[in-house]
């Protein structure tokens, strides 16, 4: 009798997590990663330097830092469900508005607002996903978090299909790309609302800051996440520009992006959802950083072409979203229930600081004599440092 009732429960929990994943589709799949597809035409049509292009992602990351830092307070004041949905709506509007201007300052402001809103969406959505199975085992909780994170890969796949089509419309194609993603984001509000209303609100007091001993116990993970954020996002920001500069056409680049997204979805669900809950201490984040590093190498060591791009897409795609999965699982494991939102938010702040610094420095290096390859070598170095930092993390009992 127990067996027959367990499976529908797990299936229902997975459906709730998948509905919540509408938030991660928009927050990272569209707002952050689709920029890599739109960067080359915007760089060309708007006559940007690579430093300016990287600055756009830095503005987005700065907004992300503020959004992550305030997410716990907003959720406590207004309620997690409401904050999740309102921030998702703002994200959708920011995507739509990006299509309406060519002014550099205005685009910087919109990237900032989009970063702020999507950080709140992503953090609060991660917490809601963690609460789906509050009373269950760590492994099942990790699986539900992975389902939520799989939305990022879904967003990458969707943008990989939609954006290249929009770019065939000519010089204004980048506008159409943002417009279509904004429209899809508005539609995503429906499943997001259904998912949020299905999560049972948690009881008890919730802190918006961590105690000093909680900060100390998570210190290696904070360092890992900062370095990881800088390393992986430098690759994601400029990889499409690199492929285009090496002569790959629009169809090959679209294929690369779709393969990357599919690899992310499959690996997040089939591998990381189970593995992240089993590995102890800093093993999962260290493994993630090493695998993402290996995903960068094909474009640095092999002749740039479709084979190298596909290998990189599969390896990088299969591992990059395991970082947020591992961070969320660690926060849930090592912090008491009432500190989950604050812990995930502060870890996301560290992640965002890395994402703010990485693209700007990588862009400056890409403007130098060595070109975009210099920026990708920086990405590889940061990922190795992240793996080393993660190994210093030790397990602790939640308190």
């Amino acid at each position: 009798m127990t067996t027959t009732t367990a499976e529908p429960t797990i299936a229902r929990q997975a459906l709730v997590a998948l509905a919540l994943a509408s938030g991660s589709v928009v927050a990272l799949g569209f707002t952050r990663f689709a920029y890599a597809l739109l960067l080359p035409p915007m760089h060309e049509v708007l006559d940007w330097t690579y430093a300016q292009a990287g600055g756009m992602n830095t503005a987005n990351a700065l907004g992300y830092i503020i959004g992550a830092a305030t997410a716990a307070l907003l959720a406590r004041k207004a309620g997690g469900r409401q904050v999740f949905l309102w921030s998702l709506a703002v994200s959708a509007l920011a995507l739509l508005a990006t299509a309406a201007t060519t002014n550099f300052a205005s685009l910087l402001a919109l990237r900032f607002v989009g970063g702020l809103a999507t950080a709140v969406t992503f953090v609060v959505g991660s917490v809601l996903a963690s609460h789906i199975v509050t009373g269950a085992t760590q492994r099942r909780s990790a699986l539900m978090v992975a389902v939520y994170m799989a939305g990022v890969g879904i967003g990458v796949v969707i943008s990989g299909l939609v954006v290249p089509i929009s770019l065939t419309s000519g010089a204004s194609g980048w506008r159409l790309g943002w417009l279509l993603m904004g429209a899809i984001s508005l539609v995503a509000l429906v499943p997001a609302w259904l998912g949020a209303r299905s999560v049972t609100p948690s009881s008890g007091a919730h802190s918006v800051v961590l105690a000093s001993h909680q900060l100390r116990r998570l210190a290696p993970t904070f360092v890992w996440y900062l370095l990881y954020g800088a390393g992986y996002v430098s690759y994601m920001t400029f990889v499409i520009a690199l492929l285009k500069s090496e002569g790959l056409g629009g169809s090959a680049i679209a294929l690369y992006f779709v393969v990357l997204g599919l690899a992310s979805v499959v690996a997040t669900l089939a591998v990381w959802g189970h593995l992240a809950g089993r590995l102890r201490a800093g093993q999962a984040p260290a493994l993630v950083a090493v695998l993402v590093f290996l995903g960068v190498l094909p474009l640095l060591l092999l002749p740039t072409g479709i084979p190298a791009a596909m290998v990189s897409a599969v390896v990088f795609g299969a591992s990059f979203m395991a970082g947020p999965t591992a961070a969320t699982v660690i926060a849930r494991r090592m912090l008491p229930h009432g500190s989950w939102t604050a812990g995930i938010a502060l870890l996301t702040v560290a992640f965002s600081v890395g994402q703010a610094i990485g693209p700007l420095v990588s862009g400056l290096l890409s403007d130098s004599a060595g070109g975009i390859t210099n920026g990708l070598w920086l990405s590889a170095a940061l990922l190795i440092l992240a793996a080393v930092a993660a190994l210093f993390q030790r397990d602790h009992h939640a308190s």
Side-chain angles (χ1 to χ4, degrees):
M1 193 73 179
T2 302
T3 304
T4 57
T5 58
E7 289 189 8
T9 301
I10 296 172
R12 183 180 182 281
Q13 290 170 342
L15 285 174
V16 172
L18 189 60
L20 291 173
S22 301
S24 57
V25 166
V26 177
L28 291 183
F30 288 174
T31 302
R32 177 161 294 276
F33 296 142
Y35 177 63
L37 280 173
L38 290 162
L39 168 60
M42 293 178 76
H43 175 265
E44 181 179 347
V45 173
L46 303 179
D47 196 27
W48 288 349
T49 65
Y50 282 117
Q52 286 178 304
M56 281 289 169
N57 247 17
T58 296
N60 186 260
L62 289 174
Y64 209 90
I65 292 170
I66 296 173
T70 57
L73 179 62
L74 290 172
R76 182 176 181 177
K77 294 290 186 182
R81 293 171 175 172
Q82 291 79 2
V83 169
F84 175 69
L85 294 172
W86 278 109
S87 60
L88 181 57
V90 172
S91 300
L93 294 176
L95 289 170
L96 290 170
T98 303
T101 182
T102 60
N103 180 268
F104 185 76
S106 298
L107 289 170
L108 275 177
L110 286 169
R111 291 291 287 167
F112 174 84
V113 171
L116 191 155
T118 54
V120 175
T121 300
F122 189 69
V123 169
V124 178
S126 299
V127 176
L128 291 174
S130 297
H131 285 160
I132 293 173
V133 289
T134 298
T137 64
Q138 290 287 349
R139 292 181 183 180
R140 189 186 296 183
S141 174
L143 179 60
M144 294 306 120
V145 171
V147 172
Y148 173 77
M149 296 298 174
V152 178
I154 295 171
V156 170
V157 172
I158 294 172
S159 59
L161 295 172
V162 168
V163 172
I165 294 174
S166 70
L167 295 180
T168 61
S169 63
S172 63
W174 65 271
R175 292 177 183 269
L176 181 59
W178 288 114
L179 189 65
L180 290 174
M181 287 188 294
I184 295 170
S185 299
L186 289 177
V187 174
L189 284 166
V190 176
W193 175 75
L194 292 172
R197 68 192 293 266
S198 300
V199 178
T200 303
S202 57
S203 58
H206 293 267
S207 61
V208 296
V209 294
L210 296 184
S212 59
H213 70 282
Q214 293 171 334
L215 289 170
R216 287 194 299 271
R217 77 171 48 162
L218 286 174
T221 299
F222 281 111
V223 175
W224 159 74
Y225 216 17
L226 186 150
L227 293 170
Y228 179 79
Y232 101 97
V233 83
S234 296
Y235 171 96
M236 283 299 296
T237 301
F238 293 108
V239 63
I240 300 300
L242 173 66
L243 297 178
K244 186 176 181 181
S245 71
E246 294 293 333
L248 269 67
S251 58
I253 290 174
L255 177 62
Y256 162 86
F257 219 67
V258 170
V259 169
L260 185 146
L262 288 174
S264 175
V265 173
V266 172
T268 300
L269 294 176
V271 178
W272 294 109
H274 302 280
L275 195 59
R278 298 183 184 211
L279 295 177
R280 310 308 300 172
Q283 292 175 346
L287 178 61
V288 170
V290 169
L291 291 176
V292 174
F293 163 78
L294 294 176
V296 176
L297 287 186
L299 295 181
L300 293 173
L301 302 180
L302 300 178
T304 303
I306 293 179
M310 291 304 106
V311 172
S312 182
V314 170
V315 179
F316 187 96
S319 48
F320 80 105
M321 275 316 296
T325 302
T328 303
V329 170
I330 285 176
R332 189 185 190 278
R333 177 189 296 162
M334 297 192 182
L335 297 173
H337 187 275
S339 297
W340 288 357
T341 304
I344 292 171
L346 286 176
L347 283 169
T348 306
V349 169
F351 188 49
S352 305
V353 170
Q355 290 184 102
I357 297 170
L360 184 58
V361 178
S362 182
L364 291 171
L365 289 174
S366 297
D367 282 325
S368 66
I372 302 173
T373 303
N374 283 347
L376 292 186
W377 275 116
L378 171 67
S379 176
L382 290 170
L383 289 165
I384 288 298
L385 291 174
V388 173
L391 293 176
F392 287 90
Q393 181 64 61
R394 297 291 180 264
D395 272 326
H396 298 274
H397 295 295
S399 62

